[in-house]
Amino acid sequence: RKTIARRLTSSMQTTPHFYLTVDCDLDRLLALRGELNEAAPKDRDGKPAYKLSVNDFMIKAHALALMRVPAANVSWTEGSMLRHKHVDVGVAVAIPEGLITPIVRAADTMRLSD
């Protein structure tokens, strides 16, 4: 946890940042999530092939938004901003041992069930 805190602090101090925010009403998303989870294929034991989370929808929405606004899908380099062809999304995940941040590569090309 100390290492994570140190790296986050360093990142915030040495890397340029910009923030984008939006407010959303998720009632329809939650209803759709329930319908899709109910319709998921099931194995012989009745276990669904997937279970969609709100996070799955958020990752996909972020990826689609960044594809729609390519000027926001950039990284800073020494001399300029680099526009990316695909959208990679980092997701903070709490586990008993601490925090990890897996990267969902090319999230713009993935299905929700992936």
Side-chain angles (χ1 to χ4, degrees):
R1 290 197 171 141
K2 285 182 183 178
T3 300
I4 292 167
R6 203 170 32 253
R7 287 184 180 159
L8 285 173
T9 300
S10 173
S11 172
M12 292 301 291
Q13 293 172 345
T14 61
T15 306
H17 287 75
F18 60 92
Y19 298 90
L20 306 170
T21 61
V22 65
D23 291 324
C24 298
D25 177 352
L26 298 183
D27 292 341
R28 289 176 46 193
L29 180 141
L30 295 173
L32 175 62
R33 176 180 167 255
E35 291 171 21
L36 293 174
N37 281 337
E38 193 62 37
K42 301 194 177 30
D43 65 14
R44 279 187 244 148
D45 298 326
K47 181 179 177 190
Y50 55 82
K51 183 176 179 187
L52 300 175
S53 68
V54 171
N55 222 23
D56 296 326
F57 283 88
M58 293 295 103
I59 292 166
K60 186 64 176 184
H62 283 99
L64 294 177
L66 287 170
M67 290 302 289
R68 193 176 258 183
V69 184
N73 188 29
V74 297
S75 310
W76 276 277
T77 66
E78 285 290 323
S80 66
M81 292 187 348
L82 174 64
R83 287 191 180 197
H84 301 286
K85 182 189 278 187
H86 291 288
V87 178
D88 297 339
V89 179
V91 182
V93 178
I95 60 173
E97 293 79 22
L99 185 69
I100 61 170
T101 310
I103 306 297
V104 180
R105 303 262 182 223
D108 54 298
T109 66
M110 299 176 79
R111 298 173 301 176
L112 283 169
S113 59
D114 293 333

